[in-house]
Amino acid sequence: MRASVSDLPIVLEEVSFASGGVTILDHISLAFATRAPAVLIGPNGAGKTTLLRLLMGLIAPVRGRVTWGGREDVEPTHRAIVFQRPVMLRRSAAGNIRYALAAAGVPRGERIALCARRPERARPPTGAQALRRRAAAAGARARSRQGTANPAARRADRKPRSRRD
């Protein structure tokens, strides 16, 4: 049995990022350790999304280095990100999942089989925000191809508890 490999801590060392000749982040050094909650707050345009993209390995810094569990250039198989207001495509949740599976390179036959699964009973809608989050979490899980999206993403896709009055 192999020991599980963790991407934590995520460490940024003197990281800078620029786009179009504009420096967005300049000489940032941070460490995100296990079991330590983190909050990222700032005004519009402060670089929060850019920082999250660097942390997830979606973009590379122009200077400095990012390590995941002490390693550089690690495939993001155990990382996923769900933004608060995800930009969803103009299709159904199932259509978005099919699209994410195709983008992840899942063969067509496997996509059809995965999307054919139906829940035993329909989940009642719990509001537009909950539906967006469940759809985004499902897409993140599909992109990870191992169903190992972060715990927050897994929780967002769970069936809500019914209230008994």
Side-chain angles (χ1 to χ4, degrees), residues 39-64:
V39 177
L40 184 60
I41 325 174
N44 291 343
K48 299 179 301 291
T49 300
T50 302
L51 180 61
L52 289 173
R53 290 179 181 276
L54 283 164
L55 290 168
M56 292 293 108
L58 299 174
I59 57 175
V62 293
R63 281 187 304 277

Side-chain angles (χ1 to χ4, degrees), residues 3 32-33 47-48 50 58 64 75 83 86 98 107 115 135 144 152 159 165:
F32 294 90
K48 299 179 301 291
T50 302
L58 299 174
E75 282 292 319
F83 289 100
R98 282 191 299 272
C115 291
S144 76
K159 178 179 173 185
D165 296 311

Side-chain angles (χ1 to χ4, degrees), residues 7 9 13 19 24 51 76 78 89-90 98 117 119 137 139 147:
D7 284 348
E13 297 173 2
S19 179
I24 298 170
L51 180 61
H78 291 86
L89 305 170
R90 293 180 183 252
R98 282 191 299 272
R117 294 181 189 166

Side-chain angles (χ1 to χ4, degrees), residues 7 56 68 71-79:
D7 284 348
M56 292 293 108
W68 297 271
R71 300 171 324 266
E72 288 187 69
D73 300 322
V74 178
E75 282 292 319
T77 57
H78 291 86
R79 293 189 300 262

